[in-house]
């Protein structure tokens, strides 16, 4: 998984440094490794916080509604399942497609933290990725 994140960071850094985009939408870690949250990264330095793993299930397409209205372009990492809502938002004219740079990423198997908690596995605080 780390290889995927490294590729994502490299591409986002390239786009930011070239000035092709002003910001990037992805995910960042919360208090625990399973606590991923969508985030907007405005600089290359902030990309150190970018994460992507089996807990990055949140669909970031909805964040484009506001971000695409701002000055400049926004890059967004979209999983295959996120593209359905993205296309619907474009059809409904809720996002400005010309202000968005889409970066397709592979879908990792998504883990459901609520199901894990239901199995009484609340002591999980860190996952080891291969």
């Amino acid at each position: 998984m780390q290889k995927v994140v490294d590729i994502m960071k490299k591409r986002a850094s390239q786009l930011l440094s070239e000035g092709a985009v002003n910001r990037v939408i992805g995910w960042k870690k919360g208090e625990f490794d399973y606590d991923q949250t969508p985030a907007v990264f405005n600089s290359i330095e902030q990309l150190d916080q970018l994460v992507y793993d089996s807990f990055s299930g949140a669909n970031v397409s909805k964040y484009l509604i506001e971000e695409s209205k701002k000055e400049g372009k926004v890059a967004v990492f979209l999983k295959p399942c996120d593209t359905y809502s993205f296309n619907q938002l474009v059809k409904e004219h809720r996002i400005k497609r010309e202000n968005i740079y889409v970066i397709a990423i592979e879908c990792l198997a998504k883990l459901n933290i609520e199901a894990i908690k239901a199995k009484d596995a609340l002591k999980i605080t860190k996952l080891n990725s291969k």
Side-chain angles (χ1 to χ4, degrees):
M1 282 188 250
Q2 187 58 42
K3 183 178 179 181
V4 173
V5 174
D6 291 340
I7 293 169
M8 292 169 64
K9 287 179 181 180
K10 182 178 178 182
R11 184 64 179 135
S13 294
Q14 180 184 21
L15 291 170
L16 284 168
S17 67
E18 292 172 352
V21 299
N22 298 74
R23 58 207 172 279
V24 178
I25 299 177
W27 301 266
K28 68 178 181 179
K29 182 177 166 282
E31 184 176 352
F32 300 106
D33 283 353
Y34 60 79
D35 184 23
Q36 308 285 332
T37 184
V40 178
F41 304 96
N42 295 300
S43 69
I44 294 171
E45 295 76 29
Q46 288 179 337
L47 289 173
D48 288 340
Q49 299 174 44
L50 178 69
V51 296
Y52 182 65
D53 61 25
S54 296
F55 288 112
S56 302
N59 182 344
V60 295
S61 292
K62 65 183 177 182
Y63 294 88
L64 291 168
I65 295 170
E66 289 303 316
E67 290 299 321
S68 72
K69 294 175 185 173
K70 294 180 181 177
E71 187 75 27
K73 281 194 170 194
V74 58
V76 62
F77 292 105
L78 292 181
K79 304 179 300 286
C81 58
D82 298 341
T83 61
Y84 297 107
S85 59
F86 173 81
N87 288 330
Q88 188 62 36
L89 291 170
V90 170
K91 285 181 190 177
E92 294 173 0
H93 305 285
R94 295 182 64 198
I95 58 177
K96 294 182 178 182
R97 178 63 179 97
E98 62 274 10
N99 290 347
I100 302 167
Y101 190 105
V102 175
I103 304 169
I105 55 174
E106 67 179 299
C107 184
L108 305 174
K110 299 299 169 216
L111 297 175
N112 182 339
I113 191 59
E114 296 308 318
I116 292 171
K117 287 178 182 178
K119 298 287 184 187
D120 201 26
L122 293 176
K123 294 179 180 125
I124 296 173
T125 58
K126 183 164 180 68
L127 295 175
N128 292 327
S129 59
K130 295 179 181 178

